[in-house]
Amino acid sequence: MAAFIHKLRLIVTDGDLMRRLGFVLAALVVFRILAVIPVPGVNVDLLEQFFQNNQFLSFLSIFSGGGLSGLSIVMLGVGPYITGSIIMQLATVLSIKLKALYQDEGELGRKRFSQYGRLLSVPLAALQAGAFLYYFETQGLIVHLSLFAFAANIAVVTAGSVLLMWIGELISEFGIGNGVSIIIFAGIVAGLPQILTQVLFTFDPSQIPLFIALIAAGLAITLGVVYISEAERPVPVTYAKRVVGNRVTGGVQTYVPLRLNQAGVMPIIFALSLLVLPGVGLNFLSQIGNATVANWAQTLLTFPGSNVVYAASYFLLVVIFTYFFTAVTFDPARMATNLQKNGAFVAGIRPGAATAEYLGDIITRITFVGALFLGVIAVLPLVLQEATGFTTFAIGGTALLIVVSVILDIVRKIDAQTSLREY
């Protein structure tokens, strides 16, 4: 308790840290204000009932900060930016120039790489805005608009998405933590009162075992995410002795910590972003004038095994993106080169290529454990939903997974700031 009070005192007395936290809060207030400003022509009477009867869109609305359920000007959330980032990250596998720009050209190269992702998110936002607005207009949620008014709505929603992307970038630069993750976190937290209210109003004493299972699943997910996020594999490293003047330096033994989950929460966010695309496309196709295409899309949406396919796809995407982000963020060859330049070596392993191969083998093994565990925790709520029919499991479980990961990341960065102040 004394250590916690001491750490809290350091946070409060650190002017720079308090300014960063204040900036994050101010940015989130602006985000929440934008999330309640609707686009022109919304039919408010049908809006709430429509989203109550559509589980998929209700789920999607949570991760857009509630903006989609209110058809706000930021209804897309940071989805287009995440999609653009996915495309750019995948492009590094296909393009040697982009990979070199991201990994070998330092901070300036990474800034240019991020700029390409931001530019790509603009046309993606326009396409998604047009698809959603057309779909909602066919459902009667938006009054029939002229071509000019429809184009104006697309421009407004696209601008809202770009504005939200900019707010996320500002949070990353002037605040604490990853701005995109924090915005998604804020959207999830903002939707919790509505979920709790719905659960309370529909409470049935016969569902008490389900609520107990929900609490147990929540605790299991929280403990699992904390354990995996904090777990490390230490690699013993020895610094060679060197003579500098009349002094002998080096000979120190230490270790390099390799995290079990190098990718953090991004694999979950990217997996969800890809999973919602087929649902959005099928919902759109089910409303078009062609009866054959509409029936085909509706059949796929109501396919009996769709939940199993969704869970399996979710699991695989989480595992794949965990490996992918680990490969992007952790380069064994670069670490081996840095160790060699600093006169450090792993006992029993030759410096250079052999050390890089050794580190690569370790990161592959521990990432498998982290990715597998993260995938299991991600689909656990879906399994419980299939077994019990209680839909809050699916929404709450995935949301809890992201919330816990984001909180851990923020706490870790605040702790790093306070530790720096102590030194």
Side-chain angles (χ1 to χ4, degrees):
M1 187 65 182
F4 173 76
I5 294 175
H6 175 66
K7 188 70 70 174
L8 189 61
R9 187 181 297 113
L10 286 175
I11 294 174
V12 174
T13 56
D14 190 333
D16 180 64
L17 185 57
M18 291 302 295
R19 281 192 296 271
R20 287 179 174 273
L21 291 174
F23 183 86
V24 172
L25 291 176
L28 293 181
V29 168
V30 173
F31 163 52
R32 294 309 307 159
I33 292 174
L34 294 174
V36 297
I37 302 176
V39 297
V42 176
N43 189 334
V44 181
D45 296 333
L46 296 177
L47 192 59
E48 185 175 354
Q49 181 182 359
F50 178 80
F51 274 86
Q52 285 179 352
N53 296 329
N54 194 312
Q55 180 186 345
F56 170 75
L57 289 178
S58 298
F59 178 78
L60 188 59
S61 177
I62 291 176
F63 296 98
S64 68
L68 186 62
S69 61
L71 298 190
S72 72
I73 59 176
V74 291
M75 67 167 67
L76 299 178
V78 289
Y81 177 65
I82 294 174
T83 306
S85 299
I86 294 174
I87 295 173
M88 289 301 299
Q89 295 287 354
L90 292 176
T92 59
V93 180
L94 304 175
S95 173
I96 298 177
K97 290 184 178 180
L98 284 177
K99 184 176 182 179
L101 180 67
Y102 184 75
Q103 293 186 347
D104 301 331
E105 296 190 17
E107 186 66 25
L108 182 60
R110 282 190 289 272
K111 285 184 178 180
R112 287 180 57 194
F113 185 87
S114 299
Q115 182 64 18
Y116 293 154
R118 287 191 287 268
L119 292 174
L120 181 61
S121 68
V122 177
L124 290 174
L127 289 173
Q128 292 183 27
F132 271 117
L133 290 172
Y134 177 78
Y135 172 70
F136 290 137
E137 185 175 320
T138 59
Q139 298 299 308
L141 301 179
I142 300 178
V143 298
H144 182 70
L145 301 172
S146 65
L147 182 61
F148 177 79
F150 185 77
N153 267 1
I154 293 178
V156 168
V157 174
T158 303
S161 178
V162 174
L163 178 60
L164 206 56
M165 174 185 68
W166 180 60
I167 291 174
E169 294 285 343
L170 291 179
I171 291 175
S172 298
E173 184 174 357
F174 299 108
I176 291 286
N178 183 285
V180 173
S181 300
I182 290 175
I183 286 177
I184 296 175
F185 163 80
I188 293 171
V189 173
L192 290 181
Q194 182 179 358
I195 295 176
L196 292 176
T197 303
Q198 182 180 357
V199 170
L200 290 175
F201 276 113
T202 59
F203 176 75
D204 185 352
S206 63
Q207 293 181 332
I208 290 179
L210 295 180
F211 285 106
I212 294 175
L214 175 61
I215 294 172
L219 290 175
I221 291 172
T222 302
L223 292 174
V225 173
V226 172
Y227 180 80
I228 292 298
S229 299
E230 298 300 316
E232 294 177 346
R233 163 64 157 89
V235 178
V237 172
T238 303
Y239 283 85
K241 292 183 178 180
R242 293 183 297 176
V243 178
V244 181
N246 295 324
R247 294 185 305 165
V248 178
T249 62
V252 179
Q253 290 187 343
T254 181
Y255 69 92
V256 175
L258 300 181
R259 304 193 73 87
L260 215 63
N261 180 19
Q262 297 272 350
V265 71
M266 295 311 293
I268 303 162
I269 296 175
F270 273 35
L272 285 171
S273 299
L274 285 185
L275 283 176
V276 300
L277 293 179
V280 172
L282 290 174
N283 272 292
F284 175 77
L285 291 176
S286 65
Q287 303 298 324
I288 66 175
N290 191 310
T292 304
V293 175
N295 291 334
W296 173 77
Q298 191 63 37
T299 301
L300 290 179
L301 284 172
T302 57
F303 182 68
S306 58
N307 290 337
V308 177
V309 174
Y310 179 85
S313 302
Y314 190 15
F315 176 83
L316 289 175
L317 284 175
V318 169
V319 172
I320 291 171
F321 276 124
T322 302
Y323 268 102
F324 179 75
F325 271 93
T326 300
V328 170
T329 58
F330 181 82
D331 187 356
R334 178 174 297 180
M335 176 170 283
T337 302
N338 291 336
L339 290 174
Q340 188 174 12
K341 287 180 179 178
N342 289 282
F345 61 92
V346 180
I349 307 295
R350 292 179 62 87
T355 300
E357 184 179 354
Y358 175 75
L359 294 174
D361 290 341
I362 292 177
I363 202 69
T364 299
R365 291 197 302 269
I366 64 176
T367 300
F368 175 77
V369 176
L372 192 65
F373 195 78
L374 201 61
V376 169
I377 292 179
V379 301
L380 178 62
L382 298 173
V383 174
L384 292 175
Q385 177 200 1
E386 191 70 20
T388 63
F390 201 50
T391 58
T392 307
F393 279 123
I395 297 175
T398 306
L400 184 60
L401 195 61
I402 295 177
V403 167
V404 173
S405 299
V406 173
I407 290 176
L408 284 175
D409 181 59
I410 294 174
V411 169
R412 194 179 299 120
K413 290 182 178 178
I414 290 176
D415 188 61
Q417 290 279 341
T418 54
S419 298
L420 183 63
R421 178 180 175 84
E422 283 185 296
Y423 284 115

